[in-house]
């Protein structure tokens, strides 16, 4: 009875204010009328939710679990916003904390949800998923013979995790393949080593960053220190930082990684619903490679934090970008813990903008030099990422949206055209007359 009373009272209040406005128009009264009308609509819809909830509890063929009903309702509300907002129950929240720490159990695969299916963003290097040949863009339709359709992302991820040395069976749909692919994976402890490095030709340092977790910046600093020991400064012509198929991660790590190569200046800004919510993140710590030329490799699988780093280094003219256009995931998810036992909410709260003011969302970062790889015949048509702009419910771009970009990286470096283009540029070999070689010193802002 109380619910109905509140609903009627809200409706009458809205009508009353509307009538007052029609007699004497004014911005103040119009504002109040709109607010009251919106409140009335909200109360009405909440009453509808309450009625449906009670009907399900009382009349469903089997007695439902109230907590599951509430969690399902929350999931439905949040996932209707955009592809990246989601509710995590307590178990999923703990698992996410383990993942960002850089060590967890599972298959070694970064995934998102698309059209009710689990979509592979990127396999993690040297994990069961990577060894089994799973590719960016693959759609997982079944996990251990259970359909993924109808599961939340957290439920699907939970099913793929399990005890070490146990097996899981995935059914995968891959673009260009007529029939689904069956893959059996053996679960392992996934220790994400986010930074790998080596030297090339005694004059170039190569650094690959595979993810942005709590260990990334420390790993990057160690890599630079080791390369400096192996190559004397007078022989070191520059660095290649490989961000291809890096799905992103923590914002603070993206800022600190950018800071590793910048003396000062803005790295990224985030802009929310209201102008006062704008935040700017600036470089700190100085340029550890002492102004040496820098090339950054990106492709269709480079997303989020990877795009922040690439955009910052490009806008400050600190690096030349080579490869293919990045994914275009330019939205900020704020993690909001909901109290003991209640999990957390990952809510999209802002968009990312590069230092020059360009939005990343649904557009991505375009390289200075586009280099397409030679794709094996058996993989042709299967290694293009459709990008953020193709995801249902994505935030719109500020400008023309861009979709589709190659994500293939040859397993053997000798076949890697983008990497060799980077080496040639650093060594002064002309590969694109329209793009100058990286500057000898950092350009501060």
């Amino acid at each position: 009875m109380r619910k109905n009373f509140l609903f009627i009272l809200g409706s009458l209040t809205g009508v009353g204010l509307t009538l007052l406005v029609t007699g004497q128009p004014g911005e103040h009264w119009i504002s109040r009328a709109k607010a009251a009308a919106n409140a009335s609509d909200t109360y009405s819809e909440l009453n509808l939710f309450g009625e449906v909830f009670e009907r399900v509890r009382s009349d469903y063929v089997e007695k439902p679990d109230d907590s599951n009903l509430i969690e399902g309702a929350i999931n439905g509300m949040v996932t209707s916003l955009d592809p990246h907002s989601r509710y995590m129950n307590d178990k999923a929240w703990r698992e996410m904390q383990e993942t960002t720490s850089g060590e967890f159990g599972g298959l070694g695969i970064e995934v998102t949800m698309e059209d009710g299916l689990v979509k592979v963003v990127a396999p993690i290097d040297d994990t069961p998923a990577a060894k089994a040949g799973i590719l960016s863009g693959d759609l997982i339709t079944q996990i251990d013979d259970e359909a993924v359709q109808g599961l939340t992302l957290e439920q699907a991820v939970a099913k793929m995790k399990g005890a070490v040395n146990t097996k899981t069976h995935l059914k995968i749909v891959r673009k260009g393949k007529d029939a689904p692919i069956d893959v059996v994976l053996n679960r392992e402890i996934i220790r994400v080593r986010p930074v790998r490095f080596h030297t090339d030709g005694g004059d170039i340092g190569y650094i690959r960053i595979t993810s942005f977790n709590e260990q990334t910046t420390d790993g990057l600093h160690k890599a630079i220190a080791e390369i400096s020991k192996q190559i004397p400064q007078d022989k070191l012509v520059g660095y290649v930082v490989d961000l291809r198929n890096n799905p992103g991660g923590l914002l603070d790590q993206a800022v600190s990684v950018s800071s590793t190569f910048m003396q000062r200046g803005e790295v990224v800004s985030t802009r929310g619903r209201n102008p006062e919510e704008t935040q700017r993140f600036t470089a700190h710590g100085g340029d550890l490679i002492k102004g040496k030329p820098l090339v950054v490799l990106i492709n269709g699988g480079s997303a989020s934090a990877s795009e922040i780093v690439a955009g910052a280094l490009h806008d400050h003219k600190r690096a030349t970008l080579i490869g293919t256009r990045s994914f275009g995931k330019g939205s900020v998810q704020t993690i909001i813990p909901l109290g003991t036992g209640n999990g957390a909410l990952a809510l999209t709260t802002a968009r990312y903008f590069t230092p020059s003011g360009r939005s990343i969302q649904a557009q991505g970062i375009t390289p200075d030099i586009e280099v397409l790889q030679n794709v094996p015949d058996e993989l042709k048509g299967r290694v293009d990422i459709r990008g953020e702009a193709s995801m249902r419910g994505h935030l719109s771009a500020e400008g023309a949206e861009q979709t589709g970009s190659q994500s293939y990286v040859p397993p053997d470096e000798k076949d890697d055209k983008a990497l060799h283009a980077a080496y040639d540029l650093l060594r002064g070999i002309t590969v694109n007359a329209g793009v100058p070689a990286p500057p000898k010193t950092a350009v501060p802002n």
Side-chain angles (χ1 to χ4, degrees), residues 407-424:
S407 64
Y408 177 70
V409 178
D412 194 328
E413 281 194 2
K414 69 179 177 58
D415 301 321
D416 191 338
K417 293 173 64 177
L419 180 58
H420 286 292
Y423 288 161
D424 288 347

Side-chain angles (χ1 to χ4, degrees), residues 297-328:
L297 302 179
I298 58 173
N299 69 0
S302 304
S304 192
S306 300
E307 296 174 287
I308 290 172
V309 173
L313 297 176
H314 178 269
D315 282 5
H316 285 280
K317 296 181 172 57
R318 185 62 189 92
T320 298
L321 307 185
I322 293 180
T324 57
R325 188 178 55 253
S326 64
F327 187 83

Side-chain angles (χ1 to χ4, degrees), residues 72-324:
I74 293 171
N75 276 320
M77 173 175 62
V78 176
T79 56
S80 70
L81 298 172
D82 68 86
H84 307 294
S85 292
R86 66 190 189 279
Y87 167 70
M88 296 171 281
N89 60 25
D90 191 50
K91 182 173 182 291
W93 171 224
R94 290 196 305 270
E95 288 173 349
M96 181 183 178
Q97 290 172 302
E98 291 173 2
T99 300
T100 56
S101 71
E103 181 173 320
F104 56 95
L107 305 177
I109 187 171
E110 297 278 354
V111 295
T112 187
M113 209 76 177
E114 184 173 292
D115 297 334
L117 300 176
V118 174
K119 182 177 182 178
V120 177
V121 175
I124 299 170
D125 289 351
D126 297 327
T127 63
K131 295 171 186 173
I134 291 177
L135 301 175
S136 297
D138 283 350
L139 293 173
I140 300 173
T141 60
Q142 291 184 15
I143 304 171
D144 291 330
D145 298 323
E146 180 179 342
V148 168
Q149 197 88 35
L151 298 179
T152 66
L153 181 61
E154 282 70 33
Q155 289 169 334
V157 169
K159 286 185 66 64
M160 287 188 281
K161 290 185 175 182
V164 175
N165 292 326
T166 60
K167 295 185 183 300
T168 186
H169 174 211
L170 305 181
K171 190 176 289 291
I172 291 172
V173 171
R174 180 174 293 167
K175 184 180 177 181
K177 282 283 188 180
D178 295 332
I181 302 169
D182 290 308
V183 181
V184 177
L185 303 172
N186 197 49
R187 296 183 178 96
E188 297 177 4
I189 291 292
I190 307 301
R191 293 181 178 87
V192 179
R193 190 173 133 203
V195 179
R196 288 175 167 77
F197 70 92
H198 61 75
T199 61
D200 184 83
D203 61 352
I204 292 176
Y206 169 88
I207 301 172
R208 172 158 168 73
I209 302 176
T210 58
S211 64
F212 288 84
N213 62 35
E214 293 171 4
Q215 303 171 25
T216 300
T217 301
D218 286 344
L220 175 60
H221 290 180
K222 290 174 182 175
I224 292 172
E226 286 300 317
I227 290 170
S228 297
K229 290 178 184 176
Q230 295 178 28
I231 306 176
Q233 284 295 301
D234 61 333
K235 293 184 178 179
L236 182 62
V237 299
Y239 289 82
V240 174
V241 173
D242 192 344
L243 298 177
R244 292 176 297 179
N245 292 334
N246 179 327
L250 302 174
L251 172 58
D252 65 337
Q253 292 292 309
V255 173
S256 58
V257 165
S258 300
S259 299
T260 301
F261 304 107
M262 292 169 52
Q263 295 251 353
R264 59 182 178 274
E266 183 178 306
V267 173
V268 67
S269 63
T270 63
R271 304 178 196 175
R273 183 192 301 181
N274 302 313
E276 61 269 20
E277 295 172 350
T278 297
Q279 289 184 284
R280 299 185 185 280
F281 299 85
T282 57
H284 52 81
D287 183 357
L288 294 191
I289 65 172
K290 302 174 182 177
K292 289 289 185 180
L294 178 64
V295 174
V296 174
L297 302 179
I298 58 173
N299 69 0
S302 304
S304 192
S306 300
E307 296 174 287
I308 290 172
V309 173
L313 297 176
H314 178 269
D315 282 5
H316 285 280
K317 296 181 172 57
R318 185 62 189 92
T320 298
L321 307 185
I322 293 180
T324 57

